[in-house]
mmCIF file of all heavy atoms in Angstrom:
data_model
loop_
_atom_site.group_PDB
_atom_site.id
_atom_site.type_symbol
_atom_site.label_atom_id
_atom_site.label_comp_id
_atom_site.label_asym_id
_atom_site.label_seq_id
_atom_site.Cartn_x
_atom_site.Cartn_y
_atom_site.Cartn_z
ATOM 1 N N THR A 1508 17.476 17.016 -24.680
ATOM 2 C CA THR A 1508 18.263 17.327 -25.871
ATOM 3 C C THR A 1508 18.095 18.812 -26.270
ATOM 4 O O THR A 1508 19.003 19.433 -26.798
ATOM 5 C CB THR A 1508 17.806 16.492 -27.128
ATOM 6 O OG1 THR A 1508 16.421 16.749 -27.408
ATOM 7 C CG2 THR A 1508 18.007 15.002 -26.796
ATOM 8 N N GLY A 1509 16.957 19.407 -26.034
ATOM 9 C CA GLY A 1509 16.739 20.842 -26.250
ATOM 10 C C GLY A 1509 16.432 21.194 -27.682
ATOM 11 O O GLY A 1509 16.162 22.356 -27.968
ATOM 12 N N TYR A 1510 16.443 20.245 -28.607
ATOM 13 C CA TYR A 1510 16.100 20.591 -30.006
ATOM 14 C C TYR A 1510 15.825 19.353 -30.817
ATOM 15 O O TYR A 1510 16.119 18.203 -30.401
ATOM 16 C CB TYR A 1510 17.279 21.335 -30.702
ATOM 17 C CG TYR A 1510 18.451 20.436 -31.100
ATOM 18 C CD1 TYR A 1510 18.517 19.895 -32.366
ATOM 19 C CD2 TYR A 1510 19.396 20.076 -30.126
ATOM 20 C CE1 TYR A 1510 19.600 19.083 -32.704
ATOM 21 C CE2 TYR A 1510 20.438 19.259 -30.471
ATOM 22 C CZ TYR A 1510 20.524 18.763 -31.775
ATOM 23 O OH TYR A 1510 21.554 17.923 -32.101
ATOM 24 N N THR A 1511 15.223 19.529 -31.951
ATOM 25 C CA THR A 1511 15.057 18.454 -32.931
ATOM 26 C C THR A 1511 14.767 19.049 -34.308
ATOM 27 O O THR A 1511 14.366 20.188 -34.468
ATOM 28 C CB THR A 1511 13.861 17.535 -32.538
ATOM 29 O OG1 THR A 1511 13.918 16.321 -33.317
ATOM 30 C CG2 THR A 1511 12.467 18.205 -32.742
ATOM 31 N N LEU A 1512 15.071 18.289 -35.323
ATOM 32 C CA LEU A 1512 14.838 18.725 -36.736
ATOM 33 C C LEU A 1512 13.661 17.971 -37.294
ATOM 34 O O LEU A 1512 13.488 16.764 -37.130
ATOM 35 C CB LEU A 1512 16.054 18.376 -37.597
ATOM 36 C CG LEU A 1512 17.253 19.333 -37.551
ATOM 37 C CD1 LEU A 1512 18.422 18.742 -38.358
ATOM 38 C CD2 LEU A 1512 16.887 20.733 -38.086
ATOM 39 N N ILE A 1513 12.776 18.753 -38.000
ATOM 40 C CA ILE A 1513 11.623 18.204 -38.638
ATOM 41 C C ILE A 1513 11.729 18.504 -40.129
ATOM 42 O O ILE A 1513 11.729 19.730 -40.475
ATOM 43 C CB ILE A 1513 10.293 18.765 -38.081
ATOM 44 C CG1 ILE A 1513 10.237 18.562 -36.554
ATOM 45 C CG2 ILE A 1513 9.107 18.141 -38.799
ATOM 46 C CD1 ILE A 1513 10.051 17.134 -36.109
ATOM 47 N N PRO A 1514 11.830 17.558 -41.016
ATOM 48 C CA PRO A 1514 11.860 17.847 -42.485
ATOM 49 C C PRO A 1514 10.551 18.532 -42.909
ATOM 50 O O PRO A 1514 9.462 18.271 -42.344
ATOM 51 C CB PRO A 1514 11.967 16.447 -43.128
ATOM 52 C CG PRO A 1514 12.480 15.546 -42.027
ATOM 53 C CD PRO A 1514 11.929 16.083 -40.771
ATOM 54 N N ASP A 1515 10.652 19.441 -43.890
ATOM 55 C CA ASP A 1515 9.491 20.131 -44.414
ATOM 56 C C ASP A 1515 8.768 19.180 -45.345
ATOM 57 O O ASP A 1515 9.025 19.107 -46.547
ATOM 58 C CB ASP A 1515 9.878 21.415 -45.133
ATOM 59 C CG ASP A 1515 8.661 22.240 -45.563
ATOM 60 O OD1 ASP A 1515 7.526 21.829 -45.255
ATOM 61 O OD2 ASP A 1515 8.863 23.276 -46.232
ATOM 62 N N SER A 1516 7.810 18.438 -44.787
ATOM 63 C CA SER A 1516 7.111 17.420 -45.595
ATOM 64 C C SER A 1516 5.958 18.008 -46.437
ATOM 65 O O SER A 1516 5.318 17.335 -47.210
ATOM 66 C CB SER A 1516 6.530 16.328 -44.670
ATOM 67 O OG SER A 1516 5.688 16.900 -43.702
ATOM 68 N N ILE A 1517 5.623 19.327 -46.151
ATOM 69 C CA ILE A 1517 4.527 19.971 -46.891
ATOM 70 C C ILE A 1517 5.066 21.287 -47.468
ATOM 71 O O ILE A 1517 4.758 22.359 -46.988
ATOM 72 C CB ILE A 1517 3.290 20.260 -45.970
ATOM 73 C CG1 ILE A 1517 3.079 19.079 -44.997
ATOM 74 C CG2 ILE A 1517 2.053 20.534 -46.790
ATOM 75 C CD1 ILE A 1517 2.020 19.380 -43.940
ATOM 76 N N PRO A 1518 5.944 21.214 -48.489
ATOM 77 C CA PRO A 1518 6.664 22.422 -48.929
ATOM 78 C C PRO A 1518 5.761 23.523 -49.498
ATOM 79 O O PRO A 1518 6.183 24.695 -49.523
ATOM 80 C CB PRO A 1518 7.584 21.899 -50.015
ATOM 81 C CG PRO A 1518 7.030 20.582 -50.431
ATOM 82 C CD PRO A 1518 6.348 20.015 -49.194
ATOM 83 N N SER A 1519 4.544 23.189 -49.887
ATOM 84 C CA SER A 1519 3.665 24.218 -50.465
ATOM 85 C C SER A 1519 2.893 24.993 -49.367
ATOM 86 O O SER A 1519 2.148 25.929 -49.647
ATOM 87 C CB SER A 1519 2.674 23.591 -51.391
ATOM 88 O OG SER A 1519 1.811 22.683 -50.756
ATOM 89 N N GLN A 1520 3.037 24.586 -48.098
ATOM 90 C CA GLN A 1520 2.283 25.176 -47.029
ATOM 91 C C GLN A 1520 3.176 25.482 -45.813
ATOM 92 O O GLN A 1520 4.173 24.860 -45.599
ATOM 93 C CB GLN A 1520 1.123 24.265 -46.612
ATOM 94 C CG GLN A 1520 0.125 23.994 -47.721
ATOM 95 C CD GLN A 1520 -1.134 23.411 -47.191
ATOM 96 O OE1 GLN A 1520 -1.770 23.973 -46.274
ATOM 97 N NE2 GLN A 1520 -1.544 22.259 -47.757
ATOM 98 N N ARG A 1521 2.753 26.466 -45.047
ATOM 99 C CA ARG A 1521 3.434 26.861 -43.828
ATOM 100 C C ARG A 1521 2.947 25.934 -42.700
ATOM 101 O O ARG A 1521 1.797 25.649 -42.557
ATOM 102 C CB ARG A 1521 3.136 28.296 -43.459
ATOM 103 C CG ARG A 1521 3.699 28.784 -42.169
ATOM 104 C CD ARG A 1521 3.484 30.288 -42.036
ATOM 105 N NE ARG A 1521 3.789 30.770 -40.701
ATOM 106 C CZ ARG A 1521 5.035 31.009 -40.229
ATOM 107 N NH1 ARG A 1521 6.082 30.780 -41.004
ATOM 108 N NH2 ARG A 1521 5.202 31.442 -39.003
ATOM 109 N N SER A 1522 3.917 25.379 -41.944
ATOM 110 C CA SER A 1522 3.600 24.453 -40.828
ATOM 111 C C SER A 1522 3.757 25.134 -39.491
ATOM 112 O O SER A 1522 4.621 26.006 -39.296
ATOM 113 C CB SER A 1522 4.498 23.238 -40.942
ATOM 114 O OG SER A 1522 4.152 22.376 -41.988
ATOM 115 N N TYR A 1523 2.954 24.680 -38.554
ATOM 116 C CA TYR A 1523 3.023 25.029 -37.136
ATOM 117 C C TYR A 1523 3.170 23.775 -36.346
ATOM 118 O O TYR A 1523 2.781 22.696 -36.781
ATOM 119 C CB TYR A 1523 1.812 25.838 -36.720
ATOM 120 C CG TYR A 1523 1.665 27.176 -37.465
ATOM 121 C CD1 TYR A 1523 0.933 27.207 -38.662
ATOM 122 C CD2 TYR A 1523 2.227 28.310 -37.010
ATOM 123 C CE1 TYR A 1523 0.786 28.416 -39.363
ATOM 124 C CE2 TYR A 1523 2.086 29.503 -37.691
ATOM 125 C CZ TYR A 1523 1.363 29.531 -38.844
ATOM 126 O OH TYR A 1523 1.217 30.731 -39.583
ATOM 127 N N PHE A 1524 3.695 23.918 -35.120
ATOM 128 C CA PHE A 1524 3.935 22.738 -34.303
ATOM 129 C C PHE A 1524 3.403 22.916 -32.883
ATOM 130 O O PHE A 1524 3.491 23.998 -32.292
ATOM 131 C CB PHE A 1524 5.455 22.454 -34.249
ATOM 132 C CG PHE A 1524 6.019 22.198 -35.597
ATOM 133 C CD1 PHE A 1524 6.561 23.292 -36.371
ATOM 134 C CD2 PHE A 1524 6.053 20.948 -36.172
ATOM 135 C CE1 PHE A 1524 7.041 23.049 -37.638
ATOM 136 C CE2 PHE A 1524 6.556 20.741 -37.445
ATOM 137 C CZ PHE A 1524 7.078 21.785 -38.168
ATOM 138 N N LEU A 1525 2.811 21.868 -32.337
ATOM 139 C CA LEU A 1525 2.441 21.823 -30.957
ATOM 140 C C LEU A 1525 3.423 20.905 -30.243
ATOM 141 O O LEU A 1525 3.584 19.709 -30.635
ATOM 142 C CB LEU A 1525 1.005 21.316 -30.803
ATOM 143 C CG LEU A 1525 0.452 21.335 -29.352
ATOM 144 C CD1 LEU A 1525 -1.064 21.610 -29.405
ATOM 145 C CD2 LEU A 1525 0.726 19.981 -28.638
ATOM 146 N N LEU A 1526 4.093 21.418 -29.259
ATOM 147 C CA LEU A 1526 5.010 20.648 -28.424
ATOM 148 C C LEU A 1526 4.393 20.343 -27.100
ATOM 149 O O LEU A 1526 3.997 21.312 -26.389
ATOM 150 C CB LEU A 1526 6.320 21.413 -28.255
ATOM 151 C CG LEU A 1526 7.347 21.405 -29.416
ATOM 152 C CD1 LEU A 1526 6.787 22.061 -30.653
ATOM 153 C CD2 LEU A 1526 8.661 22.072 -29.004
ATOM 154 N N ARG A 1527 4.182 19.087 -26.786
ATOM 155 C CA ARG A 1527 3.557 18.661 -25.570
ATOM 156 C C ARG A 1527 4.604 18.078 -24.601
ATOM 157 O O ARG A 1527 5.167 17.036 -24.944
ATOM 158 C CB ARG A 1527 2.432 17.700 -25.835
ATOM 159 C CG ARG A 1527 1.734 17.120 -24.606
ATOM 160 C CD ARG A 1527 0.438 16.449 -24.953
ATOM 161 N NE ARG A 1527 -0.597 17.428 -25.351
ATOM 162 C CZ ARG A 1527 -1.812 17.062 -25.760
ATOM 163 N NH1 ARG A 1527 -2.094 15.781 -25.939
ATOM 164 N NH2 ARG A 1527 -2.686 18.033 -26.114
ATOM 165 N N PHE A 1528 4.858 18.759 -23.522
ATOM 166 C CA PHE A 1528 5.918 18.320 -22.608
ATOM 167 C C PHE A 1528 5.311 17.441 -21.522
ATOM 168 O O PHE A 1528 4.371 17.833 -20.812
ATOM 169 C CB PHE A 1528 6.596 19.568 -21.995
ATOM 170 C CG PHE A 1528 7.403 20.346 -22.968
ATOM 171 C CD1 PHE A 1528 6.811 21.288 -23.777
ATOM 172 C CD2 PHE A 1528 8.751 20.152 -23.083
ATOM 173 C CE1 PHE A 1528 7.543 22.015 -24.721
ATOM 174 C CE2 PHE A 1528 9.504 20.886 -23.966
ATOM 175 C CZ PHE A 1528 8.895 21.807 -24.803
ATOM 176 N N ASN A 1529 5.859 16.205 -21.437
ATOM 177 C CA ASN A 1529 5.447 15.245 -20.450
ATOM 178 C C ASN A 1529 3.919 15.025 -20.431
ATOM 179 O O ASN A 1529 3.303 14.857 -19.368
ATOM 180 C CB ASN A 1529 5.942 15.618 -19.054
ATOM 181 C CG ASN A 1529 7.461 15.337 -18.866
ATOM 182 O OD1 ASN A 1529 7.997 14.461 -19.606
ATOM 183 N ND2 ASN A 1529 8.116 16.016 -18.015
ATOM 184 N N GLY A 1530 3.317 15.081 -21.587
ATOM 185 C CA GLY A 1530 1.942 14.683 -21.741
ATOM 186 C C GLY A 1530 0.861 15.700 -21.452
ATOM 187 O O GLY A 1530 -0.303 15.417 -21.685
ATOM 188 N N HIS A 1531 1.280 16.930 -21.040
ATOM 189 C CA HIS A 1531 0.219 17.818 -20.659
ATOM 190 C C HIS A 1531 0.497 19.317 -20.819
ATOM 191 O O HIS A 1531 -0.348 20.160 -20.815
ATOM 192 C CB HIS A 1531 -0.268 17.628 -19.244
ATOM 193 C CG HIS A 1531 0.903 17.509 -18.242
ATOM 194 N ND1 HIS A 1531 1.677 18.559 -17.907
ATOM 195 C CD2 HIS A 1531 1.375 16.404 -17.595
ATOM 196 C CE1 HIS A 1531 2.620 18.122 -17.037
ATOM 197 N NE2 HIS A 1531 2.465 16.837 -16.845
ATOM 198 N N ASP A 1532 1.753 19.751 -20.951
ATOM 199 C CA ASP A 1532 2.105 21.165 -21.017
ATOM 200 C C ASP A 1532 2.355 21.515 -22.522
ATOM 201 O O ASP A 1532 3.397 21.215 -23.066
ATOM 202 C CB ASP A 1532 3.361 21.418 -20.187
ATOM 203 C CG ASP A 1532 3.518 22.884 -19.836
ATOM 204 O OD1 ASP A 1532 2.778 23.706 -20.441
ATOM 205 O OD2 ASP A 1532 4.327 23.215 -18.967
ATOM 206 N N ASP A 1533 1.341 22.187 -23.132
ATOM 207 C CA ASP A 1533 1.368 22.416 -24.581
ATOM 208 C C ASP A 1533 1.922 23.808 -24.915
ATOM 209 O O ASP A 1533 1.579 24.797 -24.272
ATOM 210 C CB ASP A 1533 -0.026 22.304 -25.161
ATOM 211 C CG ASP A 1533 -0.624 20.881 -25.104
ATOM 212 O OD1 ASP A 1533 0.201 19.981 -24.783
ATOM 213 O OD2 ASP A 1533 -1.775 20.684 -25.350
ATOM 214 N N HIS A 1534 2.712 23.839 -25.992
ATOM 215 C CA HIS A 1534 3.268 25.111 -26.483
ATOM 216 C C HIS A 1534 3.212 25.044 -28.014
ATOM 217 O O HIS A 1534 3.710 24.088 -28.648
ATOM 218 C CB HIS A 1534 4.719 25.312 -26.040
ATOM 219 C CG HIS A 1534 4.868 25.519 -24.597
ATOM 220 N ND1 HIS A 1534 4.957 26.744 -23.979
ATOM 221 C CD2 HIS A 1534 4.851 24.628 -23.578
ATOM 222 C CE1 HIS A 1534 5.066 26.622 -22.682
ATOM 223 N NE2 HIS A 1534 4.988 25.299 -22.416
ATOM 224 N N ILE A 1535 2.570 26.062 -28.643
ATOM 225 C CA ILE A 1535 2.477 26.156 -30.113
ATOM 226 C C ILE A 1535 3.496 27.112 -30.649
ATOM 227 O O ILE A 1535 3.745 28.205 -30.070
ATOM 228 C CB ILE A 1535 1.047 26.614 -30.482
ATOM 229 C CG1 ILE A 1535 0.024 25.564 -30.045
ATOM 230 C CG2 ILE A 1535 0.972 26.818 -31.990
ATOM 231 C CD1 ILE A 1535 -1.410 25.986 -30.185
ATOM 232 N N VAL A 1536 4.127 26.723 -31.746
ATOM 233 C CA VAL A 1536 5.217 27.568 -32.305
ATOM 234 C C VAL A 1536 5.229 27.446 -33.808
ATOM 235 O O VAL A 1536 4.827 26.379 -34.351
ATOM 236 C CB VAL A 1536 6.579 27.184 -31.689
ATOM 237 C CG1 VAL A 1536 7.013 25.813 -32.167
ATOM 238 C CG2 VAL A 1536 7.666 28.212 -31.985
ATOM 239 N N GLY A 1537 5.659 28.477 -34.502
ATOM 240 C CA GLY A 1537 5.888 28.471 -35.914
ATOM 241 C C GLY A 1537 7.195 29.177 -36.186
ATOM 242 O O GLY A 1537 7.760 29.814 -35.310
ATOM 243 N N ALA A 1538 7.688 29.025 -37.410
ATOM 244 C CA ALA A 1538 8.912 29.791 -37.770
ATOM 245 C C ALA A 1538 8.572 31.274 -37.839
ATOM 246 O O ALA A 1538 7.602 31.644 -38.419
ATOM 247 C CB ALA A 1538 9.422 29.314 -39.138
ATOM 248 N N ARG A 1539 9.420 32.082 -37.213
ATOM 249 C CA ARG A 1539 9.186 33.512 -37.222
ATOM 250 C C ARG A 1539 9.145 34.056 -38.678
ATOM 251 O O ARG A 1539 8.338 34.862 -39.056
ATOM 252 C CB ARG A 1539 10.285 34.199 -36.442
ATOM 253 C CG ARG A 1539 10.232 35.751 -36.408
ATOM 254 C CD ARG A 1539 8.998 36.268 -35.723
ATOM 255 N NE ARG A 1539 8.900 35.837 -34.352
ATOM 256 C CZ ARG A 1539 7.779 35.686 -33.666
ATOM 257 N NH1 ARG A 1539 6.632 35.896 -34.299
ATOM 258 N NH2 ARG A 1539 7.771 35.292 -32.411
ATOM 259 N N ALA A 1540 10.192 33.645 -39.449
ATOM 260 C CA ALA A 1540 10.283 34.147 -40.846
ATOM 261 C C ALA A 1540 10.055 33.049 -41.839
ATOM 262 O O ALA A 1540 10.283 31.860 -41.578
ATOM 263 C CB ALA A 1540 11.665 34.762 -41.056
ATOM 264 N N GLU A 1541 9.609 33.434 -43.039
ATOM 265 C CA GLU A 1541 9.416 32.496 -44.161
ATOM 266 C C GLU A 1541 10.500 32.789 -45.206
ATOM 267 O O GLU A 1541 10.859 33.917 -45.450
ATOM 268 C CB GLU A 1541 8.051 32.706 -44.794
ATOM 269 C CG GLU A 1541 6.950 31.991 -44.070
ATOM 270 C CD GLU A 1541 6.951 30.497 -44.386
ATOM 271 O OE1 GLU A 1541 7.284 30.079 -45.489
ATOM 272 O OE2 GLU A 1541 6.614 29.736 -43.419
ATOM 273 N N ARG A 1542 10.991 31.700 -45.839
ATOM 274 C CA ARG A 1542 11.934 31.849 -46.944
ATOM 275 C C ARG A 1542 11.113 31.932 -48.220
ATOM 276 O O ARG A 1542 10.771 30.904 -48.790
ATOM 277 C CB ARG A 1542 12.918 30.706 -46.954
ATOM 278 C CG ARG A 1542 13.829 30.633 -45.756
ATOM 279 C CD ARG A 1542 14.799 29.484 -45.888
ATOM 280 N NE ARG A 1542 15.662 29.372 -44.739
ATOM 281 C CZ ARG A 1542 16.830 30.026 -44.572
ATOM 282 N NH1 ARG A 1542 17.208 30.821 -45.540
ATOM 283 N NH2 ARG A 1542 17.546 29.839 -43.503
#
Side-chain angles (χ1 to χ4, degrees):
T1508 62
Y1510 76 95
T1511 192
L1512 279 174
I1513 306 290
D1515 187 2
S1516 58
I1517 320 172
S1519 64
Q1520 299 194 53
R1521 176 171 169 80
S1522 287
Y1523 297 90
F1524 300 91
L1525 184 148
L1526 281 64
R1527 177 166 288 176
F1528 291 82
N1529 284 336
H1531 47 70
D1532 200 348
D1533 293 350
H1534 294 261
I1535 296 171
V1536 69
R1539 176 66 60 207
E1541 277 286 324
R1542 294 181 183 274

